[in-house]
Amino acid sequence: MKQLQESVRPGPALHTQKKSRALAAWLIIILGPGLVAWLMALSITKGAADISLPLVWDALFRFDGGDIRHLIVADLRLPRVVASALAGAAFAVAGALMQGMTRNPLADSGLIGLNAGAGFALSLCFAFFPHLGYLKLILCSFLGAAFGGVLATGIASLGRSGALPMRLVLAGAAVSALLTALSQGVALYFNVAQNLMFWTLGGVAGSNWTQVSIMTPWIGAGLLGAVALSRFITLLSLGEEVAKGLGLNTVLVSILGSLLVLVLAGTAVSVLGAVSFVGLMVPHLARFLIGVDYRWIIPASAVLGAFLLVLADLGARTLTPPFEIPVGALISLIGVPFFLYLARRQRRAL
Amino acid sequence: MAERQTNHELYQRKIALRHAVIVASCAALLILSLIVSMNIGYIPLSPMDTLRTLMGDGTERETLILFQFRLPRILISVLVGAGLALSGCIVQGISRNALADPGLLGIHAGAGLMVILYVLFFGAQSFLSVLTLPFLALTGAGITAVMIYVLAFKPSDGVALLRLILTGLAVQAGISALTTVLVVKLDDTQFDFVALWQAGSIWGSNWKFILALLPWMLLLIPYVLMQSRVLDVLSFGDETAVSLGLGVEKERRRLLAAAVALAAVCVAVSGSIGFIGLIAPHLARRLVGPKHVILLPACGLIGAALLSAADTLARGIMQPAEIPAGIMAAMIGAPYFLYLLARTR
């Protein structure tokens, strides 16, 4: 199996490099988490109240319930930073899975209707069941995300040419427009526009330990599942025929992969709101640094995604004090030029 | 031979007659929907009351409702619907592609950014400021259009349509992110204005805005109608157009500028309304065929009917809440776009 894998040359569509760079991968996967942890600590020190790094250390390991600064760290800033890191990793890995399975360089949870679907489901929840618990909200946002994603990919695959990258983006845009319009309509009619707006803008501001404790097992399981599946994703990324020829059960892998995408993206969306482009950019960066093997790309994407979102959250809180910039908007500003560059490189038309 | 000639002439005449009937029924339908929408709203008026009031014989309250609130809003939705539809018709004609729509191309977002900024800093109360809105929207839309064109242009194959739409989508995402960043500092009422603009509620619904919009429409719509022959030739494809002696690039740029201007001044007063520019040309083409000399008027009428109907629905079915017309348009238009996308290869 291994020899076979190495003798197959990847197609030129997604992968510009011929070799995987294991060293770079190891560096990212081993040193990366340390860097992310340092950035998280740094992020905790920044904000309205003045808090130093040693104080963060004390709050974590020598907690004193009488000290108000300790409480700020433990109850406000830490959950928020942890939620950012988890959601970032989840978005990035979901994007990597999608891009690997579909060989579509433009795949991203925000671009194929998952976010809008989750938003629609949440608007219904806010309107009809205003007192749902957080766990049920997450489940609803899964269902909504699945609905949006299936709708967009299904429509894009109709027609003779199948789901070309650009077709998928167009279908995703239209499905998103439709579902967003529906959720806006519901929100206005039932007067829950404010709640929905707050959520849509991608806020981790309200993250608390309850949320973090509910999202952690889902995202943890999703990430582990993605790592376990990564070998087969590499095979799929060589193309359907090649993977089948190597004896891979492509249908099973696609189904498992799609489920993982839903769990990861659905959870992240329910916590963070509609953040696009993380799942688009990070896997490309990982591929650029590491190469074509998804056994490295997926863990590296998780690390890089966490880093990106913790950084974006830090920026959102500190760039324009006393106002917060919505995280989703900040990331879009970075993501759009990147998307444009990718769209220019696409050679195939409709 | 002679007989065939006359037959052909007869056939041509029959077709022309049929088209005239179709356009006339579009107009009748539009007028009917306007009458209905005058009766519908938060305070219902019966058709007879409406008629009496129009003739200047209504009670003070009826007059106020009709002339200060309902009529301007209906007129704006008619003007904007026609403008967006014509704009979409031009873009589709030039690009020879069914999926093109100025809203999808990010023109609305560019115009909107300027409008939002202006309204936030200066308000839209004085007559002067209302008159300047279309200019601002034009500036924003123009800059956006040029930016999209440059970004989507590649020396190898010019502007491939799909890349154009993708670029438009991306630019739109960027502009709305920028808008979001800018509106962070706003208070609640300003924030509500931005949200409503983006949802395409017809916000500028009083006589001031109609006056601000009218000169532009009176300038642009006749110009576009005069260009119907050029649009016909362009839709044959570039080689044919060149061999017929048309300066393709120049004409295309002119028409695009007209389309962008139309879309921009419309969304300046109505907010971001998508999909009207996509659907109306399609329906019109189904009814009267591809000749622009008849297609453009039909398209304008259908657009006006669509938007005023959407606005009436939004005001009528959802009492007491109001759903912005843009949301209604997207609910109807997005599925249609998806259907088209599934059909294209």
Side-chain angles (χ1 to χ4, degrees), chain A residues 283-304:
Chain A
H284 281 278
L285 186 63
R287 264 193 299 271
F288 172 75
L289 292 171
I290 294 170
V292 297
D293 193 340
Y294 278 82
R295 283 175 307 174
W296 304 123
I297 291 174
I298 284 178
S301 292
V303 173
L304 293 168

Side-chain angles (χ1 to χ4, degrees), chain A residues 89-100:
Chain A
F91 273 131
V93 170
L97 285 172
M98 276 189 278
Q99 287 173 20

Side-chain angles (χ1 to χ4, degrees), chain A residues 106 155 158-161 166-167 169-171 173-175 177-178 181-182 184-185 188-189 197 201 320 323-326 329 332-333 336 339-340 343-344 349-350, chain B residues 150-151 153-154 162-163 165-167 169-170 173-174 177-178 180-181 184-185 191 195 199 275 318-319 321 323-324 327 330-331 334-335 337-338 341-342 344-345:
Chain A
L106 296 179
I155 288 167
L158 289 173
R160 223 176 271 180
S161 44
M166 294 196 165
R167 282 177 69 97
V169 173
L170 285 181
V175 166
L178 173 64
L182 284 171
Q184 277 176 322
L188 284 168
Y189 189 68
M197 187 62 108
L201 290 179
T320 56
F323 302 103
E324 275 201 22
I325 303 173
S332 288
L333 288 180
V336 165
F339 178 88
L340 282 171
R344 271 185 84 87
L350 208 83
Chain B
V150 168
L151 285 170
F153 184 84
K154 260 172 126 176
L162 212 55
R163 198 168 51 237
I165 295 185
L166 275 186
T167 309
L169 281 176
L178 204 61
T180 313
V181 172
V184 166
K185 302 183 168 68
F191 191 83
F275 293 106
M318 291 295 183
Q319 291 300 339
I323 303 293
I327 291 182
M331 283 183 196
F337 177 86
L338 288 168
L341 186 71
T344 47
R345 293 190 194 107

